[in-house]
Amino acid sequence: TILGETHEEEDEILPRKDYESLDYDRCINDPYLEILESMDNKKVQRYEAVKWVLVFAIGVCTGLVGLFVDFFVRLFTHLKFQVVQSSVEECTEKGCLALSLLELLGFNLTFVFLASLLVLIQPVAAGSGIPEIKCYLNGVKVPGVVRLRTVVCKAAGVLFSVAGGLFVGKEGPMIHSGAVVGAGLPQFQSISLRKIQFNFPYFRSDRDKRDFVSAGAAAGVAAAFGAPIGGTLFSLEEGSSFWNQGLTWKVLFCSMAATFTLNFFRSGIQFGSWGSFQLPGLLNFGEFKCSESDKKCHLWTAVDLGFFILMGIVGGLLGATFNCLNKRLAKYRMRNVHPKPKLVRVLESLLVSLTTTVVVFVASMVLGECRQMSSSRHSGNDTLSLQDISEDVNSSIKTFFCPNETYNDMATLFFNPQESAILQLFHQDGTFSPVTLSLFFLLYFLLSCWTYGISVPSGLFVPSLLCGAAFGRLVANLLKSYIGLDHIYSGTFALIGAAAFLGGVVRMTISLTVILIESTNEITYGLPIMITLMVAKWTGDFFNKGIYDIHVNLRGVPLLEWETGVEMDKLRASDIMEPNLTYVYPHTRIQSLVSILRTTVHHAFPVVTENRGNEREFMKGNQLISNNIKFKKSSILTRAGEQRKRSQSMKSYPSSELRNMCDEHIATEEPPEKEDLLQQMLERRYTPYPNLYPDQSPSEEWTMEERFRPLTFHGLILRSQLVTLLDRGVCYSESQSSASQPRLSHAEMSEDYPRYPDIHDLDLTLLNPRMIVDVTPYMNPSPFTVSPNTHVSQVFNLFRTMGLRHLPVVNAVGEVVGIITRHNLTHEFLQARLRQHYQTI
């Protein structure tokens, strides 16, 4: 069945089966068809040019959101570490480290508390937002996911989360923020800003919004990593289920605009040189280059590929372990945290912050080792990184409790922003002890796993990269110390380790490869990164799914995979369809429409007529006509109940004497005499659909043929369209022809998009229940349909690639026998039907 509307006020993240599907397939009153028919070629070109302008504006706005987040994260983080580091240095001699710990706790708990409060305002702002955007681009509408309030809470919340010392990143939420900008900017309206209205009726459909959201999500990736091509591939690989060449070009242009905007402002603010374009993204890995003094060093060799494959296997195992632990934590939160008052979620976030702060402080002060600074740093080493533009990597080295010319390796990793710690592992020539790297990896692994999923905006890319970089650096140290491979460049192994762990967690391949290549500006790393990610994905997929897919499944979202299994071809469309239909007639009384809309939650209804002429043939055993008789017999009782429900719909009105506004225009003269049918057709007054009204319930004396007349399929009508027609009083009386019914344009039909009024909220006191609504001008008369004997793989490919929402099943003579929706094509549903198929063999 087509499931109902969800309430945006709900904030519990529980398994749920009421997600609404987005309507991507075109209908008869498609905005493009109506607009293009009324335009000449020049106006059509201008209309297309508006799309490009809006795509550029989405990229610019996404870049500005990234600039806002980055500026305040740097400001708050610098202020916090400046105060705490001064306190630690003073307390080294006085022995008052407890006071320094309290200062750090004060900063972190305050920031995390503010982030949690913002999530209470808009619960969907929690987490990275990538699972929600993935669902949206797949065709599922998650309540509140692309609202203005969401992006405000997301952007402000993530800067507090990162500044609060949690092991989260700001790059993941940038994808969500860009998607929200893409969804809202072309609409020129917002629920949060109802008073601001623009007369801009274009791009007001789920299909258009989906394309703009794809561009916004790609712009978010481009702004986060300075990777416009990687952002485009991310939107293609992880996002949209429908793609075309024109969309690819627009998405890439949007990503370029986001990268350009962020680079322009960050470079100008940080270096005072406007137009220098030195900082392409929020996170950049800098240039990987061996020291000139080390003649044996190579970035990587063919021998290293074997180690990279092994690292990919280990990264896949570690990623699968991370996902398994996080899944168990998520289930525990669903059962024991989310059902409780919202304050409990805030307390959980504060507990995680408290634990993280204590662990970071104690580990930095107690578990670190004093390591000798590399002499090459003082002899003109040319190793460059992103930090070398503004300050050398050495400037972020921490010397807590260490003598001159040495540094505390654990404090250097823990007591720095995560981006600086990543650059230390990638580019620091000084060594990190194997014990320090092992402890750091273990602590970061456990704390980041615990953190992802709490009620704060949080990303997973940077913590995974940092955790994997420590693993890769550890492997490099062991190979250098115990095997004697002097040619190894530690930064390369740190990068491969980061790719292996991140790939094992998120299971991305093509887009992640390009993102890492663009972030390093080193094309020679393409092959090892690609091999590592492939191996990590294959290894992790053997045990479980990626972290985003796991959270999608926990929410009960009917996400469609890219394709079905080979064994699913044993099923046909008739095996998975929903045979019990709720339908409307081409000319239906208002009382019937109101009854249908009030007693069902379906979002689309087949428009049918009862084929009375085929009754006799239907029961004669004609193979073409009765090839689906078993499905029809199974729904006789449902059809009878449908008739009874409609006949009793008058009871839903306060009075049977109510009149419609349309009655004022009803003529009192007698209906005209019947004219010749041919003459009516010539004068275009003949209605091709008979006026059939469900006024009577089936009688006990009815025969099988009378109880179950075949339903001839004519099209699909959406719930939103029916509600709009009732809300605007579009109807005609029995004494008039359907030509007297008012006609609504597409702009009028989509005026309330995307939140159409609910049937229960309409004022029906002025509606005459005996009035008739002609739905034929507004239905989709040529939707995609399939035969009952169509293989499931063909059904799935048609539904997935065309971005459909409803797929009617029509037999050989045009009779609708069922309907297929997203829920009928989910992996779990198909598996259940396949088991039933095997049991009946």
Side-chain angles (χ1 to χ4, degrees):
T1 57
I2 305 164
L3 300 182
E5 188 79 28
T6 54
H7 299 287
E8 295 195 12
E9 290 75 12
E10 294 185 21
D11 60 336
E12 290 80 14
I13 304 177
L14 297 173
R16 44 202 290 179
K17 301 296 183 183
D18 57 349
Y19 286 96
E20 178 186 349
S21 297
L22 295 171
D23 188 28
Y24 288 162
D25 52 331
R26 292 185 175 182
C27 56
I28 190 172
N29 50 1
D30 189 280
Y32 290 101
L33 300 180
E34 181 175 329
I35 292 170
L36 296 182
E37 288 176 358
S38 61
M39 289 183 176
D40 54 23
N41 290 335
K42 291 185 178 180
K43 290 184 178 179
V44 171
Q45 293 176 358
R46 292 173 186 171
Y47 182 74
E48 289 296 322
V50 172
K51 291 184 182 179
W52 287 93
V53 173
L54 289 175
V55 163
F56 178 77
I58 291 170
V60 172
C61 292
T62 303
L64 293 177
V65 172
L67 179 67
F68 166 80
V69 173
D70 180 71
F71 176 79
F72 283 99
V73 165
R74 289 178 177 273
L75 177 64
F76 292 155
T77 304
H78 177 75
L79 175 64
K80 180 184 71 174
F81 281 124
Q82 194 74 16
V83 172
V84 175
Q85 183 172 347
S86 301
S87 177
V88 169
E89 292 174 352
E90 293 177 1
C91 291
T92 300
E93 301 176 355
K94 301 179 182 178
C96 57
L97 288 179
L99 180 60
S100 301
L101 176 59
L102 291 177
E103 291 179 353
L104 185 59
L105 280 173
F107 277 108
N108 288 349
L109 291 178
T110 301
F111 289 144
V112 173
F113 178 73
L114 294 175
S116 299
L117 288 183
L118 290 171
V119 170
L120 291 184
I121 297 174
Q122 187 69 357
V124 77
S128 65
I130 295 179
E132 289 80 6
I133 296 303
K134 184 175 181 179
C135 294
Y136 189 94
L137 294 178
N138 191 264
V140 181
K141 181 180 179 182
V142 181
V145 71
V146 290
R147 292 188 59 178
L148 176 62
R149 190 167 62 180
T150 300
V151 70
V152 172
C153 294
K154 193 84 172 186
V158 71
L159 67 90
F160 287 125
S161 298
V162 176
L166 294 176
F167 291 168
V168 299
K170 58 180 181 290
E171 284 69 21
M174 276 300 302
I175 301 173
H176 190 180
S177 301
V180 178
V181 173
L185 186 61
Q187 303 299 312
F188 289 96
Q189 67 175 10
S190 172
I191 298 297
S192 302
L193 303 173
R194 293 182 177 89
K195 295 182 179 180
I196 302 178
Q197 296 290 337
F198 293 92
N199 185 18
F200 190 77
Y202 310 120
F203 311 120
R204 300 181 62 77
S205 67
D206 287 334
R207 182 189 182 93
D208 291 322
K209 183 180 285 189
R210 184 271 318 272
D211 292 345
F212 286 122
V213 169
S214 299
V221 177
F225 297 97
I229 301 176
T232 303
L233 293 176
F234 172 86
S235 186
L236 172 61
E237 179 182 7
E238 291 294 316
S240 299
S241 58
F242 180 82
W243 200 266
N244 56 57
Q245 185 177 8
L247 181 60
T248 304
W249 190 232
K250 292 183 178 69
V251 169
L252 180 60
F253 180 63
C254 184
S255 301
M256 288 289 186
T259 305
F260 164 82
T261 302
L262 186 64
N263 200 343
F264 176 79
F265 284 100
R266 286 193 69 205
S267 301
I269 293 174
Q270 190 160 342
F271 303 115
S273 176
W274 297 92
S276 58
F277 299 104
Q278 303 179 53
L279 301 174
L282 299 180
L283 177 64
N284 220 291
F285 300 149
E287 182 182 351
F288 287 74
K289 185 177 180 181
C290 289
S291 173
E292 293 182 356
S293 60
D294 190 356
K295 302 300 182 182
K296 298 180 180 180
C297 174
H298 301 283
L299 289 183
W300 68 279
T301 63
V303 177
D304 297 335
L305 279 177
F307 296 111
F308 296 159
I309 293 175
L310 294 176
M311 291 175 67
I313 295 174
V314 176
L317 294 174
L318 292 173
T321 305
F322 183 96
N323 294 353
C324 180
L325 294 175
N326 190 263
K327 180 179 180 180
R328 293 179 179 272
L329 281 171
K331 288 183 176 180
Y332 178 83
R333 290 188 178 108
M334 289 178 178
R335 291 192 299 264
N336 301 287
V337 178
H338 294 171
K340 295 182 179 179
K342 296 180 179 180
L343 181 62
V344 177
R345 305 186 191 185
V346 178
L347 294 178
E348 183 196 17
S349 302
L350 294 177
L351 175 62
V352 173
S353 176
L354 174 65
T355 306
T356 302
T357 303
V358 173
V359 168
V360 166
F361 191 87
V362 173
S364 300
M365 302 303 160
V366 177
L367 301 180
E369 294 185 15
C370 294
R371 312 291 296 183
Q372 189 71 29
M373 292 185 182
S374 175
S375 59
S376 62
R377 281 286 172 185
H378 304 283
S379 59
N381 179 34
D382 292 330
T383 301
L384 299 176
S385 73
L386 183 63
Q387 291 289 346
D388 291 329
I389 301 173
S390 57
E391 59 181 52
D392 192 75
V393 173
N394 261 4
S395 64
S396 59
I397 286 179
K398 305 301 179 185
T399 59
F400 294 162
F401 306 107
C402 290
N404 294 334
E405 300 300 325
T406 60
Y407 65 95
N408 188 323
D409 56 357
M410 184 70 80
T412 299
L413 296 178
F414 266 136
F415 240 77
N416 270 314
Q418 295 176 101
E419 291 81 358
S420 299
I422 291 175
L423 293 174
Q424 286 288 341
L425 292 171
F426 283 172
H427 301 291
Q428 177 59 260
D429 285 345
T431 59
F432 295 89
S433 70
V435 176
T436 296
L437 291 173
S438 301
L439 290 174
F440 176 81
F441 172 81
L442 180 62
L443 294 175
Y444 220 94
F445 180 94
L446 295 176
L447 288 175
S448 59
C449 183
W450 185 20
T451 303
Y452 188 74
I454 63 175
S455 294
V456 296
S458 58
L460 195 60
F461 274 87
V462 171
S464 298
L465 288 172
L466 183 53
C467 202
F471 158 67
R473 188 80 181 225
L474 174 63
V475 173
N477 284 5
L478 294 178
L479 292 178
K480 279 185 175 181
S481 302
Y482 296 98
I483 301 182
L485 299 179
D486 296 334
H487 72 277
I488 286 178
Y489 179 56
S490 299
T492 299
F493 276 77
L495 176 65
I496 297 300
F501 187 82
L502 181 58
V505 171
V506 300
R507 312 289 163 81
M508 293 164 52
T509 52
I510 301 175
S511 57
L512 188 55
T513 300
V514 177
I515 288 172
L516 293 177
I517 292 175
E518 288 186 280
S519 299
T520 57
N521 294 319
E522 186 62 56
I523 192 63
T524 59
Y525 280 146
L527 180 62
I529 289 176
M530 183 180 298
I531 293 176
T532 303
L533 288 175
M534 288 170 53
V535 173
K537 175 178 170 56
W538 291 340
T539 305
D541 286 343
F542 184 79
F543 297 97
N544 50 35
K545 294 183 177 181
I547 188 67
Y548 301 135
D549 292 326
I550 288 175
H551 281 266
V552 167
N553 292 336
L554 289 176
R555 287 166 169 82
V557 179
L559 193 73
L560 298 184
E561 305 293 338
W562 281 103
E563 58 186 8
T564 59
V566 178
E567 69 279 3
M568 292 303 171
D569 267 342
K570 297 178 181 178
L571 299 176
R572 306 298 175 110
S574 58
D575 297 321
I576 65 172
M577 70 182 185
E578 174 56 49
N580 299 324
L581 300 175
T582 301
Y583 52 88
V584 299
Y585 293 103
H587 301 259
T588 308
R589 294 192 189 276
I590 286 180
Q591 68 183 59
S592 296
L593 289 181
V594 173
S595 176
I596 292 170
L597 295 173
R598 282 183 171 180
T599 56
T600 65
V601 292
H602 307 322
H603 282 267
F605 304 93
V607 180
V608 303
T609 54
E610 294 182 1
N611 193 354
R612 299 170 185 263
N614 283 345
E615 289 177 9
R616 295 181 181 179
E617 293 296 326
F618 172 70
M619 299 305 295
K620 283 182 179 179
N622 187 312
Q623 192 63 29
L624 286 177
I625 295 178
S626 60
N627 59 349
N628 290 287
I629 190 172
K630 61 178 181 178
F631 308 116
K632 297 182 175 183
K633 285 183 177 179
S634 66
S635 62
I636 290 178
L637 296 178
T638 302
R639 291 278 301 279
E642 175 76 10
Q643 297 284 0
R644 293 191 186 96
K645 177 181 62 179
R646 296 182 180 207
S647 66
Q648 297 172 1
S649 61
M650 285 286 293
K651 298 179 180 179
S652 64
Y653 289 89
S655 171
S656 61
E657 300 179 355
L658 299 176
R659 291 292 178 265
N660 189 340
M661 62 188 76
C662 299
D663 281 345
E664 299 176 1
H665 307 287
I666 296 176
T668 57
E669 65 268 12
E670 295 295 328
E673 297 181 358
K674 294 184 178 178
E675 301 179 11
D676 181 69
L677 183 60
L678 179 60
Q679 185 65 24
Q680 294 184 30
M681 295 179 65
L682 292 176
E683 294 178 3
R684 299 181 180 275
R685 291 189 288 109
Y686 172 70
T687 303
Y689 306 101
N691 292 337
L692 299 174
Y693 315 114
D695 289 338
Q696 297 180 348
S697 6
S699 170
E700 297 296 335
E701 301 177 356
W702 280 11
T703 63
M704 175 66 73
E705 295 93 331
E706 291 173 327
R707 280 181 175 275
F708 201 55
R709 297 184 177 94
L711 299 178
T712 302
F713 180 70
H714 297 289
L716 278 177
I717 185 76
L718 300 179
R719 167 181 286 265
S720 59
Q721 293 172 314
L722 293 176
V723 173
T724 302
L725 295 176
L726 291 175
D727 187 32
R728 296 178 177 271
V730 177
C731 58
Y732 68 97
S733 70
E734 294 178 271
S735 60
Q736 294 179 320
S737 68
S738 60
S740 63
Q741 175 177 283
R743 296 297 177 95
L744 299 181
S745 64
H746 177 268
E748 293 173 315
M749 289 291 292
S750 61
E751 184 177 348
D752 295 321
Y753 178 84
R755 291 171 179 83
Y756 295 95
D758 188 82
I759 184 63
H760 299 283
D761 299 330
L762 294 184
D763 183 10
L764 302 176
T765 57
L766 297 178
L767 289 177
N768 181 357
R770 301 298 297 177
M771 298 293 286
I772 305 168
V773 178
D774 179 8
V775 302
T776 56
Y778 308 100
M779 72 179 184
N780 183 358
S782 56
F784 289 98
T785 60
V786 293
S787 166
N789 297 318
T790 307
H791 289 285
V792 163
S793 60
Q794 294 175 279
V795 175
F796 188 91
N797 290 335
L798 176 63
F799 199 99
R800 181 77 156 80
T801 56
M802 298 309 299
L804 303 183
R805 181 178 182 179
H806 320 98
L807 186 58
V809 182
V810 180
N811 66 10
V813 292
E815 299 167 7
V816 59
V817 296
I819 194 166
I820 296 174
T821 63
R822 172 176 294 271
H823 291 270
N824 300 109
L825 293 173
T826 58
H827 180 72
E828 295 77 10
F829 186 88
L830 292 178
Q831 288 289 348
R833 289 304 170 94
L834 187 62
R835 288 192 294 267
Q836 294 179 8
H837 174 77
Y838 285 136
Q839 293 173 0
T840 57
I841 295 178

